[in-house]
Amino acid sequence: MAAAAALQQTPVTFQYRSSPSSHLQTKLTTKLFFSSNFKISKLTIKPLRHRRRGGRGGGVLGATMADTAAGSYADALADVAKSNDTLDQTYADVEKVEKIFSDEEVLRFFLNPTIGDEEKRKIVDEISKSSSLQPHVANFVNILVDMNRIDLIKEIVKEFELIYNKLTETELAVVTSVVKLESQHLAQIAKEVQKLTGAKNVRIKTAIDPSLVAGFTIRYGSSGSKLIDMSVKKQLEEIAAQLDIGDIQLAV
């Protein structure tokens, strides 16, 4: 109930600046609510440019519409963060939300149509308190619950990250290794990526992939389009190619 009450404080209207798709037409003038601690009179969700993805039949259109909706929600959240000078804190909260909803059990709970919105809001309230989420981020999650758009949470996180990186001139580098790298090694990698890209800031995300055998890879650039491969797996593949002996199988 506390979360529901918080949603009924300062009204914020989401509306489109240009004609939306028919799928989103019913959400033109939906009234949404953020915390009264944030003095925002109106927040506008703008459809982003369409980006095609691979697929068959209606899958491409469906993916495009999902991209547009996710980008619009992310842009709206970024607008609130910018207006209240909480962009960095909001990014940190969004990372927390991403981690929470990466748990498939949590995601299934919120996607379950047999569970009422009030019960879901109670869980959002508990999550918000335990994770110390800012009020506007907690209410944003409640908005997604109310509008049955929690299914877009992963896409919204990705879109928000892109917006944040652009606003803060930040380059994202994903470092994948067999084991967790030490902080000093990650700092060195960040400096090298900064030299390569000229970015003002570099953020490092890490991932574990045992198939690399040893070493690491670095992905950066638009959508991770650039790759630096320093893995033993890569070296073994190059040796195998030179010797024309096919894949090298390592004894475990």
Side-chain angles (χ1 to χ4, degrees), residues 168-212:
T168 59
E169 298 180 56
T170 298
E171 182 74 35
L172 174 65
V174 179
V175 179
T176 304
S177 56
V178 179
V179 296
K180 184 177 179 181
L181 297 179
E182 297 293 336
S183 58
Q184 62 265 29
H185 296 148
L186 295 176
Q188 290 174 349
I189 291 173
K191 289 180 180 178
E192 291 303 317
V193 172
Q194 189 172 36
K195 290 178 183 177
L196 288 170
T197 63
K200 183 178 180 180
N201 305 292
V202 174
R203 288 182 66 87
I204 297 290
K205 278 194 171 184
T206 59
I208 301 298
D209 182 1
S211 72
L212 297 179

Tab-separated table of all heavy atoms in Angstrom, residues 168-212:
chain	number	residue	atom	x	y	z
A	168	THR	N	27.157	11.329	-20.697
A	168	THR	CA	28.356	11.490	-19.862
A	168	THR	C	29.646	11.242	-20.631
A	168	THR	O	30.726	11.207	-20.024
A	168	THR	CB	28.299	10.529	-18.660
A	168	THR	OG1	28.199	9.172	-19.136
A	168	THR	CG2	27.108	10.839	-17.776
A	169	GLU	N	29.531	11.075	-21.965
A	169	GLU	CA	30.703	10.810	-22.814
A	169	GLU	C	31.500	9.619	-22.274
A	169	GLU	O	32.712	9.685	-22.069
A	169	GLU	CB	31.598	12.049	-22.891
A	169	GLU	CG	30.909	13.260	-23.508
A	169	GLU	CD	31.825	14.469	-23.563
A	169	GLU	OE1	32.927	14.349	-24.156
A	169	GLU	OE2	31.448	15.519	-23.016
A	170	THR	N	30.773	8.544	-22.038
A	170	THR	CA	31.370	7.352	-21.451
A	170	THR	C	31.435	6.218	-22.470
A	170	THR	O	30.472	5.964	-23.189
A	170	THR	CB	30.542	6.883	-20.233
A	170	THR	OG1	30.557	7.905	-19.230
A	170	THR	CG2	31.096	5.597	-19.649
A	171	GLU	N	32.559	5.553	-22.519
A	171	GLU	CA	32.733	4.378	-23.369
A	171	GLU	C	32.579	3.133	-22.501
A	171	GLU	O	33.214	3.003	-21.454
A	171	GLU	CB	34.129	4.370	-24.001
A	171	GLU	CG	34.378	3.210	-24.932
A	171	GLU	CD	33.645	3.350	-26.261
A	171	GLU	OE1	33.508	4.489	-26.745
A	171	GLU	OE2	33.214	2.310	-26.800
A	172	LEU	N	31.724	2.222	-22.936
A	172	LEU	CA	31.527	0.969	-22.207
A	172	LEU	C	32.425	-0.107	-22.801
A	172	LEU	O	32.434	-0.334	-24.011
A	172	LEU	CB	30.073	0.519	-22.290
A	172	LEU	CG	29.770	-0.866	-21.691
A	172	LEU	CD1	30.012	-0.860	-20.182
A	172	LEU	CD2	28.338	-1.289	-22.006
A	173	ALA	N	33.179	-0.768	-21.937
A	173	ALA	CA	34.024	-1.870	-22.368
A	173	ALA	C	33.647	-3.116	-21.566
A	173	ALA	O	33.600	-3.071	-20.331
A	173	ALA	CB	35.499	-1.539	-22.155
A	174	VAL	N	33.356	-4.198	-22.271
A	174	VAL	CA	33.013	-5.460	-21.611
A	174	VAL	C	34.239	-6.362	-21.656
A	174	VAL	O	34.707	-6.747	-22.728
A	174	VAL	CB	31.823	-6.149	-22.299
A	174	VAL	CG1	31.505	-7.476	-21.604
A	174	VAL	CG2	30.599	-5.237	-22.287
A	175	VAL	N	34.764	-6.675	-20.488
A	175	VAL	CA	35.968	-7.511	-20.373
A	175	VAL	C	35.534	-8.921	-19.969
A	175	VAL	O	34.952	-9.116	-18.901
A	175	VAL	CB	36.949	-6.938	-19.332
A	175	VAL	CG1	38.176	-7.839	-19.220
A	175	VAL	CG2	37.344	-5.516	-19.709
A	176	THR	N	35.827	-9.878	-20.820
A	176	THR	CA	35.472	-11.273	-20.560
A	176	THR	C	36.738	-12.071	-20.295
A	176	THR	O	37.701	-12.001	-21.060
A	176	THR	CB	34.722	-11.879	-21.754
A	176	THR	OG1	33.566	-11.069	-22.051
A	176	THR	CG2	34.270	-13.300	-21.460
A	177	SER	N	36.737	-12.825	-19.215
A	177	SER	CA	37.923	-13.604	-18.837
A	177	SER	C	37.488	-14.939	-18.242
A	177	SER	O	36.310	-15.170	-17.976
A	177	SER	CB	38.765	-12.821	-17.825
A	177	SER	OG	37.983	-12.472	-16.689
A	178	VAL	N	38.475	-15.814	-18.018
A	178	VAL	CA	38.194	-17.130	-17.438
A	178	VAL	C	37.929	-17.011	-15.944
A	178	VAL	O	37.040	-17.666	-15.401
A	178	VAL	CB	39.367	-18.098	-17.690
A	178	VAL	CG1	39.093	-19.457	-17.057
A	178	VAL	CG2	39.604	-18.255	-19.181
A	179	VAL	N	38.701	-16.171	-15.295
A	179	VAL	CA	38.521	-15.911	-13.861
A	179	VAL	C	38.390	-14.406	-13.654
A	179	VAL	O	38.717	-13.616	-14.537
A	179	VAL	CB	39.715	-16.454	-13.037
A	179	VAL	CG1	39.802	-17.967	-13.142
A	179	VAL	CG2	41.026	-15.802	-13.484
A	180	LYS	N	37.930	-14.025	-12.487
A	180	LYS	CA	37.755	-12.612	-12.181
A	180	LYS	C	39.110	-11.914	-12.160
A	180	LYS	O	40.051	-12.371	-11.509
A	180	LYS	CB	37.067	-12.462	-10.823
A	180	LYS	CG	36.755	-11.018	-10.455
A	180	LYS	CD	36.022	-10.960	-9.132
A	180	LYS	CE	35.718	-9.516	-8.741
A	180	LYS	NZ	35.014	-9.450	-7.417
A	181	LEU	N	39.204	-10.801	-12.890
A	181	LEU	CA	40.458	-10.052	-12.943
A	181	LEU	C	40.581	-9.116	-11.752
A	181	LEU	O	39.578	-8.634	-11.210
A	181	LEU	CB	40.536	-9.252	-14.237
A	181	LEU	CG	40.544	-10.059	-15.549
A	181	LEU	CD1	40.592	-9.118	-16.743
A	181	LEU	CD2	41.724	-11.025	-15.583
A	182	GLU	N	41.806	-8.832	-11.366
A	182	GLU	CA	42.052	-7.903	-10.259
A	182	GLU	C	41.707	-6.480	-10.690
A	182	GLU	O	41.755	-6.140	-11.877
A	182	GLU	CB	43.525	-7.968	-9.841
A	182	GLU	CG	43.973	-9.323	-9.314
A	182	GLU	CD	43.321	-9.679	-7.989
A	182	GLU	OE1	42.908	-8.733	-7.269
A	182	GLU	OE2	43.216	-10.875	-7.680
A	183	SER	N	41.360	-5.646	-9.710
A	183	SER	CA	40.942	-4.274	-9.989
A	183	SER	C	42.021	-3.475	-10.693
A	183	SER	O	41.732	-2.642	-11.561
A	183	SER	CB	40.525	-3.576	-8.692
A	183	SER	OG	41.595	-3.578	-7.761
A	184	GLN	N	43.292	-3.720	-10.358
A	184	GLN	CA	44.369	-2.965	-11.008
A	184	GLN	C	44.499	-3.322	-12.485
A	184	GLN	O	44.838	-2.472	-13.318
A	184	GLN	CB	45.717	-3.181	-10.293
A	184	GLN	CG	46.228	-4.611	-10.280
A	184	GLN	CD	45.844	-5.345	-9.003
A	184	GLN	OE1	44.800	-5.021	-8.421
A	184	GLN	NE2	46.680	-6.264	-8.567
A	185	HIS	N	44.209	-4.587	-12.815
A	185	HIS	CA	44.249	-5.004	-14.214
A	185	HIS	C	43.105	-4.353	-15.000
A	185	HIS	O	43.295	-3.910	-16.136
A	185	HIS	CB	44.148	-6.525	-14.314
A	185	HIS	CG	45.308	-7.235	-13.685
A	185	HIS	ND1	45.201	-8.467	-13.088
A	185	HIS	CD2	46.611	-6.858	-13.534
A	185	HIS	CE1	46.385	-8.835	-12.619
A	185	HIS	NE2	47.256	-7.872	-12.873
A	186	LEU	N	41.940	-4.286	-14.366
A	186	LEU	CA	40.791	-3.644	-15.019
A	186	LEU	C	41.051	-2.155	-15.213
A	186	LEU	O	40.643	-1.571	-16.229
A	186	LEU	CB	39.528	-3.863	-14.185
A	186	LEU	CG	39.044	-5.312	-14.064
A	186	LEU	CD1	37.843	-5.394	-13.130
A	186	LEU	CD2	38.686	-5.878	-15.441
A	187	ALA	N	41.739	-1.543	-14.259
A	187	ALA	CA	42.076	-0.122	-14.381
A	187	ALA	C	43.017	0.109	-15.551
A	187	ALA	O	42.879	1.091	-16.304
A	187	ALA	CB	42.710	0.373	-13.083
A	188	GLN	N	43.961	-0.786	-15.746
A	188	GLN	CA	44.891	-0.679	-16.873
A	188	GLN	C	44.148	-0.838	-18.201
A	188	GLN	O	44.418	-0.113	-19.166
A	188	GLN	CB	45.982	-1.744	-16.753
A	188	GLN	CG	46.957	-1.510	-15.615
A	188	GLN	CD	47.944	-2.653	-15.431
A	188	GLN	OE1	47.787	-3.716	-16.024
A	188	GLN	NE2	48.965	-2.440	-14.618
A	189	ILE	N	43.207	-1.775	-18.230
A	189	ILE	CA	42.410	-1.987	-19.442
A	189	ILE	C	41.591	-0.737	-19.747
A	189	ILE	O	41.496	-0.305	-20.901
A	189	ILE	CB	41.493	-3.209	-19.268
A	189	ILE	CG1	42.333	-4.488	-19.237
A	189	ILE	CG2	40.457	-3.277	-20.397
A	189	ILE	CD1	41.542	-5.736	-18.895
A	190	ALA	N	41.021	-0.131	-18.707
A	190	ALA	CA	40.225	1.084	-18.889
A	190	ALA	C	41.068	2.202	-19.495
A	190	ALA	O	40.617	2.933	-20.390
A	190	ALA	CB	39.630	1.526	-17.558
A	191	LYS	N	42.305	2.339	-19.028
A	191	LYS	CA	43.198	3.377	-19.568
A	191	LYS	C	43.507	3.139	-21.036
A	191	LYS	O	43.541	4.074	-21.843
A	191	LYS	CB	44.494	3.407	-18.759
A	191	LYS	CG	44.345	3.969	-17.355
A	191	LYS	CD	45.671	3.975	-16.617
A	191	LYS	CE	45.525	4.538	-15.215
A	191	LYS	NZ	46.803	4.522	-14.452
A	192	GLU	N	43.717	1.870	-21.399
A	192	GLU	CA	44.018	1.550	-22.792
A	192	GLU	C	42.814	1.827	-23.693
A	192	GLU	O	42.965	2.352	-24.807
A	192	GLU	CB	44.441	0.081	-22.921
A	192	GLU	CG	45.786	-0.236	-22.299
A	192	GLU	CD	46.902	0.628	-22.884
A	192	GLU	OE1	46.929	0.802	-24.121
A	192	GLU	OE2	47.744	1.132	-22.105
A	193	VAL	N	41.607	1.479	-23.218
A	193	VAL	CA	40.389	1.748	-23.994
A	193	VAL	C	40.197	3.251	-24.151
A	193	VAL	O	39.787	3.738	-25.215
A	193	VAL	CB	39.156	1.106	-23.325
A	193	VAL	CG1	37.869	1.548	-24.019
A	193	VAL	CG2	39.267	-0.418	-23.353
A	194	GLN	N	40.505	4.001	-23.106
A	194	GLN	CA	40.385	5.463	-23.162
A	194	GLN	C	41.328	6.044	-24.209
A	194	GLN	O	40.974	6.964	-24.953
A	194	GLN	CB	40.657	6.063	-21.792
A	194	GLN	CG	40.334	7.554	-21.699
A	194	GLN	CD	40.444	8.065	-20.275
A	194	GLN	OE1	41.309	7.630	-19.521
A	194	GLN	NE2	39.551	8.976	-19.912
A	195	LYS	N	42.545	5.490	-24.280
A	195	LYS	CA	43.497	5.940	-25.287
A	195	LYS	C	42.997	5.630	-26.696
A	195	LYS	O	43.136	6.440	-27.620
A	195	LYS	CB	44.849	5.269	-25.066
A	195	LYS	CG	45.602	5.737	-23.829
A	195	LYS	CD	46.920	4.976	-23.684
A	195	LYS	CE	47.664	5.372	-22.420
A	195	LYS	NZ	48.913	4.580	-22.255
A	196	LEU	N	42.435	4.456	-26.862
A	196	LEU	CA	41.963	4.029	-28.181
A	196	LEU	C	40.764	4.838	-28.660
A	196	LEU	O	40.624	5.121	-29.843
A	196	LEU	CB	41.587	2.544	-28.151
A	196	LEU	CG	42.741	1.537	-28.056
A	196	LEU	CD1	42.188	0.145	-27.793
A	196	LEU	CD2	43.562	1.554	-29.339
A	197	THR	N	39.882	5.192	-27.739
A	197	THR	CA	38.621	5.828	-28.121
A	197	THR	C	38.597	7.336	-27.905
A	197	THR	O	37.785	8.026	-28.521
A	197	THR	CB	37.460	5.217	-27.314
A	197	THR	OG1	37.665	5.483	-25.912
A	197	THR	CG2	37.381	3.708	-27.537
A	198	GLY	N	39.454	7.839	-27.020
A	198	GLY	CA	39.421	9.255	-26.700
A	198	GLY	C	38.233	9.638	-25.850
A	198	GLY	O	37.885	10.818	-25.733
A	199	ALA	N	37.584	8.643	-25.242
A	199	ALA	CA	36.408	8.904	-24.419
A	199	ALA	C	36.773	9.651	-23.141
A	199	ALA	O	37.880	9.500	-22.607
A	199	ALA	CB	35.721	7.582	-24.063
A	200	LYS	N	35.851	10.453	-22.654
A	200	LYS	CA	36.072	11.187	-21.416
A	200	LYS	C	36.102	10.234	-20.233
A	200	LYS	O	36.892	10.397	-19.301
A	200	LYS	CB	34.969	12.232	-21.222
A	200	LYS	CG	35.131	13.101	-19.991
A	200	LYS	CD	34.020	14.145	-19.909
A	200	LYS	CE	34.164	15.015	-18.674
A	200	LYS	NZ	33.073	16.028	-18.597
A	201	ASN	N	35.227	9.234	-20.278
A	201	ASN	CA	35.143	8.247	-19.202
A	201	ASN	C	35.061	6.847	-19.800
A	201	ASN	O	34.591	6.666	-20.930
A	201	ASN	CB	33.902	8.477	-18.324
A	201	ASN	CG	33.833	9.886	-17.771
A	201	ASN	OD1	34.640	10.276	-16.942
A	201	ASN	ND2	32.861	10.657	-18.243
A	202	VAL	N	35.483	5.858	-19.049
A	202	VAL	CA	35.378	4.462	-19.468
A	202	VAL	C	34.770	3.658	-18.324
A	202	VAL	O	35.235	3.746	-17.178
A	202	VAL	CB	36.751	3.860	-19.836
A	202	VAL	CG1	36.613	2.361	-20.134
A	202	VAL	CG2	37.342	4.583	-21.036
A	203	ARG	N	33.727	2.912	-18.629
A	203	ARG	CA	33.118	2.022	-17.646
A	203	ARG	C	33.434	0.586	-18.051
A	203	ARG	O	33.304	0.224	-19.221
A	203	ARG	CB	31.603	2.213	-17.574
A	203	ARG	CG	31.187	3.508	-16.909
A	203	ARG	CD	29.678	3.602	-16.830
A	203	ARG	NE	29.132	2.582	-15.946
A	203	ARG	CZ	28.997	2.725	-14.635
A	203	ARG	NH1	29.400	3.840	-14.048
A	203	ARG	NH2	28.473	1.783	-13.903
A	204	ILE	N	33.821	-0.207	-17.081
A	204	ILE	CA	34.173	-1.597	-17.349
A	204	ILE	C	33.079	-2.520	-16.796
A	204	ILE	O	32.668	-2.393	-15.635
A	204	ILE	CB	35.515	-1.973	-16.691
A	204	ILE	CG1	36.658	-1.147	-17.281
A	204	ILE	CG2	35.785	-3.472	-16.862
A	204	ILE	CD1	37.001	-1.488	-18.707
A	205	LYS	N	32.614	-3.415	-17.639
A	205	LYS	CA	31.738	-4.496	-17.188
A	205	LYS	C	32.492	-5.798	-17.388
A	205	LYS	O	33.220	-5.950	-18.371
A	205	LYS	CB	30.429	-4.526	-17.979
A	205	LYS	CG	29.387	-3.545	-17.497
A	205	LYS	CD	28.028	-3.857	-18.084
A	205	LYS	CE	26.945	-3.016	-17.436
A	205	LYS	NZ	25.589	-3.380	-17.936
A	206	THR	N	32.313	-6.724	-16.477
A	206	THR	CA	33.058	-7.976	-16.560
A	206	THR	C	32.127	-9.162	-16.787
A	206	THR	O	30.953	-9.131	-16.401
A	206	THR	CB	33.872	-8.215	-15.279
A	206	THR	OG1	32.986	-8.267	-14.154
A	206	THR	CG2	34.884	-7.100	-15.070
A	207	ALA	N	32.668	-10.190	-17.416
A	207	ALA	CA	31.932	-11.434	-17.650
A	207	ALA	C	32.922	-12.588	-17.575
A	207	ALA	O	34.119	-12.408	-17.824
A	207	ALA	CB	31.239	-11.400	-19.008
A	208	ILE	N	32.419	-13.760	-17.232
A	208	ILE	CA	33.262	-14.949	-17.113
A	208	ILE	C	32.923	-15.933	-18.235
A	208	ILE	O	31.749	-16.201	-18.489
A	208	ILE	CB	33.063	-15.644	-15.751
A	208	ILE	CG1	33.412	-14.680	-14.607
A	208	ILE	CG2	33.905	-16.907	-15.659
A	208	ILE	CD1	34.848	-14.215	-14.589
A	209	ASP	N	33.954	-16.432	-18.909
A	209	ASP	CA	33.777	-17.420	-19.980
A	209	ASP	C	34.922	-18.435	-19.921
A	209	ASP	O	36.021	-18.171	-20.417
A	209	ASP	CB	33.742	-16.726	-21.346
A	209	ASP	CG	33.500	-17.708	-22.494
A	209	ASP	OD1	33.334	-18.917	-22.226
A	209	ASP	OD2	33.474	-17.261	-23.663
A	210	PRO	N	34.683	-19.601	-19.312
A	210	PRO	CA	35.740	-20.620	-19.178
A	210	PRO	C	36.288	-21.121	-20.512
A	210	PRO	O	37.408	-21.624	-20.577
A	210	PRO	CB	35.026	-21.757	-18.425
A	210	PRO	CG	33.893	-21.089	-17.709
A	210	PRO	CD	33.449	-20.005	-18.643
A	211	SER	N	35.512	-20.980	-21.589
A	211	SER	CA	35.953	-21.488	-22.892
A	211	SER	C	37.158	-20.729	-23.440
A	211	SER	O	37.806	-21.190	-24.384
A	211	SER	CB	34.807	-21.437	-23.906
A	211	SER	OG	34.527	-20.105	-24.300
A	212	LEU	N	37.466	-19.579	-22.862
A	212	LEU	CA	38.618	-18.806	-23.335
A	212	LEU	C	39.947	-19.452	-22.953
A	212	LEU	O	40.990	-19.071	-23.465
A	212	LEU	CB	38.570	-17.379	-22.776
A	212	LEU	CG	37.389	-16.509	-23.205
A	212	LEU	CD1	37.478	-15.138	-22.540
A	212	LEU	CD2	37.330	-16.371	-24.716
